[in-house]
Amino acid sequence: MDLNIIKTVPGLAWRNKVRHSVVLAVGALCAASLPPACYAQSDALPRLGLGVQMSTLGAGIEAATAVTRKSNVRIAFNDFSYSRDFSKDGINYSGELTLRSFNVLYDQYLLGGFHVSPGLMLYNGNRGTAAAAVPGGQSFSLGGSTYYSSAADPVSGNGTLKLGSVSPMVLLGFGNLLPRSNRHFTVKFEFGAVFQGSPKSTLNLSGSTCDFSGRFCQAIASNPIVQNSIQSEQNKINKDVDFFRYYPVISLGFGYKF
């Protein structure tokens, strides 16, 4: 068929021009706004990755979404608890360590899977707690001084070690919860620190102390000498755990990109 004849048929030439104009307009719109639909599937940013991890912050779950071709925003929740009975300086403790935190991190990828991740621990529930008891008639030490627990009113109490509050953190690592490829399963290793400040301990004791013969007993609440020893013991504990102001983080995780 002669193409010149087609061009002269009323309506056909107009339709071709309209079709051509529409194609150009759609192309220009895509170039200007660059929505995901205008990209090839391989160029679209991944939307969601979920993972699990074990770390010095406890067992955790995390989720991430891509921000740019080389960065993600990630949230993580960690939870772990451990109980143990022990004795120190004649005082029996029933202790529990609780690790519970919520973190927000920004993953910036520098080379391949290597990344630096500044972030914020928005909730820091990491702490140690213990119930304390000294059997009646038994000696114990506080702040370098020796006391004897009353048989009629034995010494008891509790202690708490708080490891921080809202704190900045930074991690370095390898692996990406949202790989920029066709892979779905991922492995991630990270290390870094939480800058949480110096931990604070509190020790509360009640009951009565006596001399070595078991007589001349006095309630701890009204004994300034014992109270000073309790304060000295708290200061010693705070000094011993001061290195935890930089809480170390080491983690290994596994994830899946949807």
Side-chain angles (χ1 to χ4, degrees):
M1 181 179 293
D2 190 343
L3 294 179
N4 291 323
I5 296 176
I6 295 178
K7 293 179 181 179
T8 60
V9 175
L12 289 181
W14 178 81
R15 290 172 187 166
N16 288 334
K17 289 181 180 181
V18 171
R19 186 181 297 112
H20 182 65
S21 299
V22 170
V23 171
L24 289 177
V26 172
L29 181 61
C30 287
S33 59
L34 299 180
C38 297
Y39 285 104
Q41 184 63 33
S42 60
D43 292 331
L45 294 178
R47 298 300 181 188
L48 178 64
L50 297 177
V52 295
Q53 62 179 351
M54 284 296 300
S55 75
T56 51
L57 290 172
I61 57 174
E62 57 183 356
T65 187
V67 178
T68 70
R69 296 298 299 171
K70 290 190 175 183
S71 64
N72 302 331
V73 168
R74 176 163 47 113
I75 60 174
F77 175 76
N78 305 288
D79 187 28
F80 178 77
S81 61
Y82 174 73
S83 299
R84 179 190 173 193
D85 295 337
F86 62 97
S87 297
K88 183 178 183 298
D89 298 329
I91 304 177
N92 299 325
Y93 293 96
S94 180
E96 182 176 21
L97 173 66
T98 300
L99 299 177
R100 187 171 294 124
S101 59
F102 177 75
N103 315 317
V104 176
L105 296 155
Y106 182 83
D107 303 322
Q108 180 64 54
Y109 288 85
L110 306 177
L111 182 63
F114 177 70
H115 60 274
V116 57
S117 301
L120 194 64
M121 181 176 283
L122 294 177
Y123 171 72
N124 188 342
N126 299 332
R127 65 178 58 201
T129 58
V134 183
Q138 180 174 303
S139 65
F140 65 99
S141 297
L142 278 178
S145 300
T146 300
Y147 300 95
Y148 293 85
S149 179
S150 169
D153 185 21
V155 173
S156 63
N158 59 77
T160 302
L161 179 65
K162 294 183 179 181
L163 297 178
S165 56
V166 175
S167 311
M169 61 188 298
V170 63
L171 302 178
L172 299 173
F174 300 88
N176 192 339
L177 198 58
L178 293 166
R180 306 309 198 258
S181 68
N182 293 326
R183 290 188 300 112
H184 289 277
F185 290 97
T186 62
V187 179
K188 180 172 59 65
F189 173 77
E190 292 180 307
F191 59 95
V194 180
F195 306 96
Q196 60 183 4
S198 299
K200 299 297 181 183
S201 66
T202 57
L203 180 61
N204 301 302
L205 295 179
S206 59
S208 301
T209 59
C210 309
D211 64 6
F212 67 94
S213 66
R215 297 179 296 174
F216 304 105
C217 301
Q218 185 177 357
I220 290 177
S222 60
N223 191 330
I225 298 177
V226 179
Q227 291 297 326
N228 287 337
S229 293
I230 292 175
Q231 185 61 53
S232 296
E233 187 71 17
Q234 286 183 172
N235 295 339
K236 180 179 182 297
I237 295 173
N238 289 337
K239 183 177 179 180
D240 290 343
V241 299
D242 186 64
F243 67 93
F244 272 124
R245 66 171 63 190
Y246 309 113
Y247 189 90
V249 179
I250 301 175
S251 71
L252 177 64
F254 302 90
Y256 183 84
K257 178 186 72 175
F258 290 87

